[in-house]
Amino acid sequence: TTLLFLSPKDLYTAPDSCEGRCEEPYSEEDECHCNAECERYHNCCEDYYTHCRPEGFSSSWDAITDEDLLHISEQLYKADHNKARPTDITINPQYQASPDETGDQEDRSPQPLYKYVNEELFSKPTYASFIKLLDNYQRATGREEDVTAEELREQDNFLKEVMKTELMKKLFAFLHKKNRYDSEQEFVADLKEMWFGLYSRGNGEQDSSGFEHVFSGEVKKGKVSGFHNWIRFYLLEKQGIVNYFSHNFNGPWDTYPEVLGLQFSWDGFYKEVGSAFIGCSPEFEFGLYTLCFIARPGRACHLSLGGYSLSIQTYAWTKSTYGNGKKYIATAYVISP
């Protein structure tokens, strides 16, 4: 006769909570999971971020609640003093594609998306420093980025200019109050790493960063990857390098920032759905994406802008880290309803 000795662990069925279970080895028996890989596979327990975030923010006074996010996002929306005025931009969205048409790669809009942009906007310090960053990247993944001293200065200058704005000062004050950063200097240093730190999307080459992917855009396996910025789109459309095909979502705003889900071609490479804020300042996008990456990495981050609901999705790069196990930004974008 064989005796089977069951340990208490064999008899234990994990609850749908991460309390006391952080970094527990994966088991297919569990209803939900509490190790770092659960973010990648989207099978974390609902309270994973409360109990198991690497920074350990588990007490109620420094947790970022859903209500906090609605409140701070409205504050940032109101603080976007550099956004376009209604007279600064005229867009021509033309054809609205249905969900089963977004993959067709068919140009259903003969005219450009932008009829008019007041380019005086681009002389504002945050716009000017942002635009200087856009040509610093090789768009093909798998090609090593060669970062010059001049480009590093441009990164520092952009961060310096955005941190002068009321919007980014409000974001820092919020994160400081929530015990995420002790000083503005620490915040800026972390922004530089999470957004501009290089990692490999290819075969080991330092070929990508969060900023390049989200704002400048990349080409991977013959398709456009990232590219969620209206200024970048306008400048390339004006040069004839981007061809607007259609949109599949138009947000409820009657002023800027507006939100569109776009179909377009970039030098012959196609983007099936590229959501973008239109008419916001660079610091607005940069700030909202940063907020959501810190507060809700790897899952939908629910915000309120001018009384309207909007969600942002971010993902962390999981294959390499900086500092004490901190994650780079892999992507960030508006979720079109």
Side-chain angles (χ1 to χ4, degrees), residues 30-48:
D30 296 344
E31 291 180 37
C32 58
H33 305 279
C34 303
N35 56 28
E37 289 291 282
C38 75
E39 293 185 67
R40 184 175 165 197
Y41 294 108
H42 312 301
N43 56 12
C44 300
C45 299
E46 283 192 12
D47 60 0
Y48 169 75

Side-chain angles (χ1 to χ4, degrees), residues 252-271:
W253 290 270
D254 53 11
T255 184
Y256 297 113
E258 172 66 287
V259 176
L260 284 180
L262 305 170
Q263 289 72 53
F264 61 91
S265 167
W266 177 19
D267 244 358
F269 299 102
Y270 187 62
K271 181 72 175 180

